[in-house]
Amino acid sequence: MKKSFKEFRMTIVCSILLILCLALAIFCGMNHQTRRMIIALVLSSIALLLLTTRFKMIFFDDGIMIYQWKVITLLPSFIDYNDIHSMEKMSKHKVLIHHIHDTTIYVFNSDAFIQTYQQVNHENI
């Protein structure tokens, strides 16, 4: 089973970056600043690429790949199902995973995330 959920925080950040870069490109285009407009369009395409392809938490057959903050960057981490003690819903978008460490993750639908974990966990038992 392979099911994925978008990471809530980085989706919002990438959406804001995309809007800002497109606004900057339009502004530079109206002021006839071609080089800056091209740079803004390249940055907006990078933000769009990040928005559509990255930052997905994926349920695999043997574990979950999530994103955790490490110092100043958001890095993927793999948690084996055997290491997870429990999951609890903190709010509509926030889930607390109790494993070796307590990890807080943000998803668009925390209920569906926990349901998927329970289904996968029962299939592995």
Side-chain angles (χ1 to χ4, degrees):
M1 174 182 198
K2 189 175 178 183
K3 178 132 172 118
S4 64
F5 291 88
K6 290 290 281 180
E7 212 278 337
F8 184 71
R9 296 170 293 185
M10 292 310 290
T11 302
I12 299 298
V13 168
C14 289
S15 299
I16 291 170
L17 283 174
L18 177 65
I19 291 167
L20 289 175
C21 289
L22 286 175
L24 180 64
I26 291 169
F27 177 75
C28 291
M30 289 172 48
N31 290 332
H32 305 290
Q33 298 172 345
T34 310
R35 286 187 198 136
R36 290 183 182 166
M37 183 184 70
I38 291 171
I39 291 171
L41 287 174
V42 168
L43 289 175
S44 64
S45 65
I46 291 170
L48 182 64
L49 184 69
L50 287 174
L51 183 64
T52 56
T53 59
R54 285 265 337 245
F55 305 114
K56 291 184 180 179
M57 291 174 270
I58 302 172
F59 283 90
F60 292 104
D61 291 333
D62 55 347
I64 305 172
M65 189 202 61
I66 63 169
Y67 285 89
Q68 291 181 329
W69 283 103
K70 305 284 184 181
V71 186
I72 60 169
T73 187
L74 196 63
L75 294 175
S77 299
F78 189 79
I79 302 174
D80 193 18
Y81 290 132
N82 297 330
D83 295 337
I84 298 175
H85 304 297
S86 65
M87 272 191 199
E88 63 180 278
K89 176 183 173 180
M90 303 298 285
S91 69
K92 183 179 178 182
H93 302 291
K94 187 176 180 181
V95 176
L96 181 64
I97 300 176
H98 300 285
H99 57 105
I100 298 170
H101 309 288
D102 288 345
T103 304
T104 304
I105 59 170
Y106 295 86
V107 293
F108 279 99
N109 188 354
S110 61
D111 292 327
F113 186 84
I114 292 174
Q115 273 184 341
T116 304
Y117 166 71
Q118 290 170 348
Q119 287 175 352
V120 171
N121 198 20
H122 289 303
E123 289 175 3
N124 289 337
I125 294 177

